[in-house]
Each structure stands twice: as C-alpha cells, then as structure tokens.
Amino acid sequence: MRMADRFGIVTAGASGMGRAGAIRFAAEGAAVAVVDLDEAKAKEVADTIKAAGGQAFALAGNLMEEDFARGLVHETHKRFGRLDFLWAHAGHPSVSRVEGLDLKEFDVAMNLNVRAALASAIEAIPLMRDGGGGSMLFTSSTSGVIGSPFSPLYSVAKWGVIGLARSLAKRYGPDNIRVNVVCPGTTDTPMLDTLVSRPDETETHGKDLNELKRIRSSGNPMGRAARPEEVANVALFLLSHEASYVNGASLLVDGGKTA
Ligand SMILES: NC(=O)c1ccc[n+]([C@@H]2O[C@H](COP(=O)([O-])OP(=O)(O)OC[C@H]3O[C@@H](n4cnc5c(N)ncnc54)[C@H](O)[C@@H]3O)[C@@H](O)[C@H]2O)c1
C-alpha cells in the first residue's frame, strides 16, 4: 500500500482527475477528504471509497471563498486527527479572449487557480510541520509551462501555481514538507469540454464537441487526450513516500506535447 496511514485532502475531488486521484489514493491506503462545490458528486466519490473498504468523507463548498479554502484543512485535521497530504487540484479554465477583456476575469482565474491553493496551503503547513512533515501537490497545466494560445489568463494563473509551489518547496523543505506540481496536458474530463467549447473561442463555431476534442488532441504525439487516471497515477507518486526526494518539481503529464 503506497499511501498507508496517510490522511489528506483532494480538492475538486468530485470529478475528473481529482475523483480518479481520491479513489486511487484510498485504494492505496489513504484516508481522503473529498472537497468540491458539487456536494452530490463529492458524496458519491466518498461513498465509492467507503464501499471498497476505504476511509473518506465529502466536504462541499466554494473554494473561491477564503474561509472555506482555509477551513477545509482544519475540518480534515479534526476528522482524521492528522494531515499528511494536500492535493490542491481545483482550477478555473478562464476565458480565451484578450481584446475587450474585463479584468474581473483575471481575478476569477487567479482566485481559484492560485489564491484557493495558497489559502489551503497556509493552513496545512503548520499542521504538517507539527505532524513531522507532509506532501503538497498543486495542479498547473502545460499552459503553465508554455504560453497558451487559448487563454492568456489561464497561463498567467497556472504559471503562478508553479511559482508558488517552487517557493514553498524551498521554504518548507527543512520542515520535511515537499511541494510539487503536476502539469496535465489535454485530459478527458468535463473541464476539457469547457476548454474546447468556450463561446469566445472563435474556431469553435459550428463544430461539435467530439470534433473539437479531436482537434485539441491531434497535435499530441500520443494522438489522444490523457485519461484522468493517467494523471492520478502521477499525483499518487508525487504525494507518496516514493517521491521522498522530489521537491519543487513540475511534472508534465502531457503525452509529449511540450517536448
Ligand atoms: N482537463 C484538462 O484538460 C486539464 C488540463 C490541464 C490542467 N487541468 C487542471 O485540472 C484541474 C481540474 O481538473 P479536471 O479537468 O479533472 O476537472 P473536472 O471538470 O473533471 O472537475 C472539476 C471539479 O472542480 C469543481 N469545482 C469547480 N469550481 C469549484 C469551486 N469554486 N470550489 C470547489 N470546487 C469547484 C467542480 O465541481 C468539479 O467537480 C484544474 O486545476 C485544471 O486547470 C485540466
């Protein structure tokens, strides 16, 4: 069991990569707080874990709200008695437009992609330190490594995620807290539907969703999008003790797209 006796949090855990991660971590022995805006789906994930003999609970709320993003850490610590890992996975796809952009969109992109992760990390650090250490994982994107032609705001925010993680990795390594980033490429989740079909994305007009997803994946050396489980496998590695000397890394899971 690669996550035996490890207690932690997955945000955006009700769907896609977060869901796949929560279920996988639990199968490897972890106890998981499944955090999401969608209460019914978060409960479904927690119930799936419990039905398989694992330990989990669902926590519903809006990560854009600072009190919730901070409070979920303490709620998890209270329920489990310790905190070993945090996967701050939630993010916002943002808009693709630049011209005519309302800068309120900048605040939204930064809020969910960066501010929410920071808010949870602020609360998790002292608890992990008191527990002898821990592991944090943030979710960036290929758009945080190369410029996104689709959404400059998304790139800004995902670049910020990597900057935050690298800084925390250096600062809290001495406390035995590792901080890493997973950078998925195109991954087949509901967010991908949003990413490819944003109404302000000019090339989408008149094309159906499957065609848009095929176009988005066609430039990839693997010729397809990632499955959520393929990203969850990497998250498992980075959060587990197997990655005990991996700190401040941004691991691309993009099928070679950025190679
Ligand atoms: N899917 C992709 O192609 C792709 C590629 C690179 C990076 N990412 C990143 O992966 C993460 C999203 O993962 P996914 O693709 O598995 O998404 P998904 O669409 O499957 O799930 C997103 C989940 O986030 C929850 N959520 C949305 N806003 C929330 C909020 N304010 N508070 C709490 N929960 C909220 C939703 O309810 C949903 O369950 C984001 O950080 C995203 O930027 C996705």
Side-chain angles (χ1 to χ4, degrees), residues 21-108:
I23 291 171
R24 184 70 209 283
F25 304 164
E28 293 287 350
V32 186
V34 181
V35 178
D36 204 283
L37 195 57
D38 190 324
E39 185 168 19
K41 284 192 182 166
K43 277 192 176 141
E44 183 274 325
V45 175
D47 288 346
T48 300
I49 289 171
K50 287 188 271 187
Q55 208 181 333
F57 70 93
L59 198 53
N62 186 352
L63 287 156
M64 299 258 206
E65 291 167 8
E66 183 181 342
D67 286 350
F68 179 70
R70 286 175 177 262
L72 66 92
V73 174
H74 295 285
E75 180 62 22
T76 305
H77 189 260
K78 198 171 84 188
R79 301 272 290 253
F80 290 153
R82 56 179 290 114
L83 185 74
D84 300 294
F85 69 90
L86 164 68
W87 185 10
H89 174 60
H92 193 278
S94 194
V95 293
S96 68
R97 100 180 61 85
V98 177
E99 289 150 73
L101 177 71
D102 183 337
L103 282 178
K104 286 195 186 97
E105 300 287 359
F106 176 84
D107 298 336
V108 172

Side-chain angles (χ1 to χ4, degrees), residues 103-125:
L103 282 178
K104 286 195 186 97
E105 300 287 359
F106 176 84
D107 298 336
V108 172
M110 292 303 284
N111 197 342
L112 191 55
N113 288 293
V114 184
R115 199 168 186 270
L118 173 60
S120 297
I122 289 168
E123 303 304 323
I125 287 163

Side-chain angles (χ1 to χ4, degrees), residues 15-17 36-37 62-63 89 91 140 154 158 184-185 187 189-191:
S15 175
M17 299 175 244
D36 204 283
L37 195 57
N62 186 352
L63 287 156
H89 174 60
S140 178
Y154 189 61
K158 290 305 195 185
T187 307
T189 70
M191 188 178 281

Side-chain angles (χ1 to χ4, degrees), residues 187-258:
T187 307
D188 203 356
T189 70
M191 188 178 281
L192 181 59
D193 300 356
T194 309
L195 285 168
V196 297
S197 59
R198 287 177 292 213
D200 59 338
E201 206 163 287
T202 45
E203 71 269 31
T204 65
H205 296 313
K207 300 194 178 81
D208 77 23
L209 195 57
N210 285 333
E211 174 65 358
L212 290 168
K213 289 207 267 192
R214 195 195 59 72
I215 292 168
R216 183 63 79 92
S217 305
S218 62
N220 192 296
M222 306 286 285
R224 63 172 177 85
R227 294 184 293 276
E229 293 75 16
E230 292 176 304
V231 178
N233 289 342
V234 175
L236 170 67
F237 167 68
L238 289 171
L239 286 171
S240 78
H241 292 309
E242 288 170 18
S244 53
Y245 202 63
V246 184
N247 189 28
S250 309
L251 223 162
L252 284 153
V253 189
D254 69 347
K257 176 178 159 188
T258 54

Side-chain angles (χ1 to χ4, degrees), residues 169-189:
K170 286 192 166 171
R171 199 161 170 128
Y172 295 103
D175 293 314
N176 196 31
I177 299 171
R178 295 183 298 104
V179 188
N180 291 297
V181 185
V182 63
C183 302
T186 306
T187 307
D188 203 356
T189 70

